[in-house]
Amino acid sequence: MSIRHGLLALLEHGPRYGSQLRTEFETRTGSTWPLNIGQVYTTLARLERDGMVTQDGEDDAGHTLYAITDDGRVELKSWFRTPVDRASPPRDELAIKLAMAVGAPGVDIREVIQSQRRHTIKAMQDYTRLKAQALDTAPADRDEVAWLLVLEQLIFQTEAEARWLDHSEQRLIRLSMMPEPVKPSPGLPRPKMPVRAAREEADGR
């Protein structure tokens, strides 16, 4: 998640101070990715160092205001135009967990899948309920529309995760029906060939 670009996008609407940026970011995303104020100010400091924002005086309450610079606008436009890179996807804890659970001693991987499926379906139901509540009244402003976009992405994501879990369980069922490969016992010497057979093998016969 690009916090720096999110803050730049908010600053495009005018100067803001740190806690105001945090509040607006969480409002826009429905608090799906909450920020702590230290994270906001650390990001602002880096943006200022990189010439993307500059301090722009104080408001009536003495809060330091930050404004986007021309370099910041160029960076923001580039971010909006550039597709999100999927060549190096972020680590997914669930995928890693299932990959490590395959063949792990004492782990019932189907139980792991079923437990996760229950959690995923509940999350999907919660997101769907929130969407229904949000649609009871037509979205009144851009923040509400933005939150609906985030919410629908979460619904699609959990639906895809539930389908993947079903697929994974079916794959494991097929795997369990396959015969176990016969592995040679470690430490046992390879049987010796008769002398004649060994010579014929060496001669390619």
Side-chain angles (χ1 to χ4, degrees), residues 7-41:
L7 298 185
L8 286 174
L10 293 173
L11 289 172
E12 181 74 348
H13 297 284
R16 303 282 195 277
Y17 55 88
S19 57
Q20 185 180 11
L21 286 166
R22 180 183 66 172
T23 299
E24 291 186 10
F25 184 95
E26 293 184 351
T27 299
R28 186 67 64 93
T29 61
S31 297
T32 303
W33 302 286
L35 302 178
N36 62 62
I37 194 62
Q39 196 173 13
V40 172
Y41 278 110

Side-chain angles (χ1 to χ4, degrees), residues 54-153:
T54 186
Q55 294 188 25
D56 191 35
E58 298 180 347
D59 65 2
D60 294 340
H63 298 116
T64 300
L65 297 172
Y66 292 85
I68 191 170
T69 64
D70 289 340
D71 286 346
R73 290 189 177 90
V74 170
E75 173 72 14
L76 181 61
K77 288 179 181 178
S78 175
W79 180 60
F80 281 131
R81 288 194 304 263
T82 305
V84 175
D85 183 16
R86 299 299 185 193
S88 300
R91 293 183 182 89
D92 185 284
E93 183 180 354
L94 177 56
I96 294 171
K97 180 189 289 188
L98 292 192
M100 297 301 157
V102 175
V107 176
D108 184 344
I109 190 170
R110 292 186 64 184
E111 182 180 338
V112 174
I113 290 175
Q114 290 166 7
S115 174
Q116 181 65 43
R117 184 190 289 111
R118 288 191 294 270
H119 176 81
T120 300
I121 291 175
K122 182 180 184 305
M124 183 168 54
Q125 292 170 342
D126 291 342
Y127 295 146
T128 303
R129 190 178 305 111
L130 286 172
K131 179 183 177 181
Q133 293 171 356
L135 291 176
D136 281 344
T137 57
D141 56 34
R142 292 179 180 179
D143 284 345
E144 292 182 9
V145 172
W147 164 226
L148 272 174
L149 290 176
V150 172
L151 191 54
E152 287 169 339
Q153 192 269 346

Side-chain angles (χ1 to χ4, degrees), residues 118-192:
R118 288 191 294 270
H119 176 81
T120 300
I121 291 175
K122 182 180 184 305
M124 183 168 54
Q125 292 170 342
D126 291 342
Y127 295 146
T128 303
R129 190 178 305 111
L130 286 172
K131 179 183 177 181
Q133 293 171 356
L135 291 176
D136 281 344
T137 57
D141 56 34
R142 292 179 180 179
D143 284 345
E144 292 182 9
V145 172
W147 164 226
L148 272 174
L149 290 176
V150 172
L151 191 54
E152 287 169 339
Q153 192 269 346
L154 293 171
I155 292 171
F156 292 145
Q157 193 175 57
T158 50
E159 287 175 345
E161 183 172 284
R163 291 196 301 272
W164 175 68
L165 288 167
D166 290 341
H167 169 79
S168 299
E169 186 172 38
Q170 290 302 313
R171 182 176 292 281
L172 289 166
I173 290 173
R174 291 195 298 270
L175 178 64
S176 68
M177 296 171 64
M178 295 174 61
E180 287 288 336
V182 178
K183 297 180 181 179
S185 300
L188 293 180
R190 181 179 175 182
K192 293 183 179 180

